[in-house]
Amino acid sequence: MAWRGIIEEFREFLPLSKRVKPVTLLEGNTPLIPSRALGRQLGLSAKVYFKFEGLNPTASFKDRGMTVAVTQAVGEGARAVICASTGNTAASAAAYAARAGLDCIIVLPRGAFAKGKLVQALMHGARVVAIDGNFDAALSIVREIATTYPITLVNSVNPYRLEGQKTAAFEICAQLGGRAPDYLLLPVGNAGNITAYWMGFTEYYQRGLISERPRMLGFQASGAAPIVRGRPIAHPKTIASAIRIGNPASWDKAIRARDESGGMITTVTDRQILRAYRLLARYEGIFAEPASAASVAGLMKLAHEGYFTGRKIIVCVLTGHGLKDPDTALSGGQRVITARADVDAVIKAARLRRWRS
Ligand code: F0G
């Protein structure tokens, strides 16, 4: 049967009343892609997979949470939704609001988000407000507005968001043939996603659908690593704008996921993120956005430290698509070769002579 979106597929695990008709773009069912190069290059005997969440309808994992949050909002009679965002939540909220016929208000840190995400929010008709402040300031503003106006907050402090996002854990277990991976690696920003994955694995475990839960390995950019440093960061800095967050809303829950799973939350540098980002595109054929590459940067860092031993199963979550952020992609010095419009000039420009048989 054709995929029906995460609400229909996982309804028994979601706290929605049966009567609510899903607001869906048929999100979820994203591929778990085996690594062909990186795992081997790192000398791992483990099997490495990428859960490519960039293949959701708005090209990030946020759609899993947004279908549930917006469906619930409609069920409660909401007419508008609001969120703060580093970009992906905005794109997703705008799309699902458009689908549901709701107004959508978005508050973004000015000049600090990837172009593709802004384009998505605007195309879907959201009212976009850019503030002179970072994500944390934007989140506190929308939280306050949502307490005084009849507008539903769809940031991950809305519990329906995490309920939807946990379904990615269910899919991974199914894709691995009814087991969890040994390690789950993912970027950590506002810390909702690591919380949601842990909820998902824990529910499957408690229902006896899997016999072990993974170690949760979260990665923050070293200039935006409040959880690792143990204190909020007033001016978080990283090339990975999606996770440029200094005071994560789900801080405590992320720490619980880390500790209950026997995992860790640690840092990766921007250099490591950019290297992983480019290697992933170049040698795996997978174009994920810089924040997503934090999971792969983490894989590389821990592999070099000898953290992974034996024939384990490792899943790196790739949270968003690389096309969202063309500016970072093009900052790597690659260039287009120009040529006159004739065969010889193109052969020369493309350096094809060496291929002649
Ligand atoms: N990866 C991407 C591509 C993201 O957009 C985000 C968060 C994360 C990872 C981190 O997930 O916050 O659950 O720990 N983006 C939010 C946004 C903050 O506004 O789009 P998290």
Side-chain angles (χ1 to χ4, degrees), residues 60-62 84-90 117 135 155-156 161 165 187-194 242-243 245 289 291-292 319-320:
S60 88
F61 71 99
K62 305 287 182 181
S85 184
T86 56
N88 280 325
T89 301
K117 302 173 187 179
F135 170 84
N155 279 106
S156 58
R161 279 278 313 279
Q165 281 172 215
V188 174
N190 212 22
N193 212 28
I194 190 169
I243 52 170
I245 293 175
E289 68 172 286
S292 304
T319 45

Side-chain angles (χ1 to χ4, degrees), residues 77-100:
R79 293 181 33 217
V81 295
I82 190 167
C83 66
S85 184
T86 56
N88 280 325
T89 301
S92 187
Y96 284 82
R99 187 102 182 145

Side-chain angles (χ1 to χ4, degrees), residues 329-347:
L330 288 173
S331 69
Q334 320 91 313
R335 59 187 190 96
V336 176
I337 311 157
T338 51
R340 273 182 293 110
D342 71 63
V343 171
D344 282 344
V346 171
I347 286 171

Side-chain angles (χ1 to χ4, degrees), residues 109 115 123 130 154 187 233 241 281 302 312 329:
K115 206 175 274 166
M123 279 300 290
V154 292
I233 306 294
S241 58
L302 295 185
K312 300 285 184 3

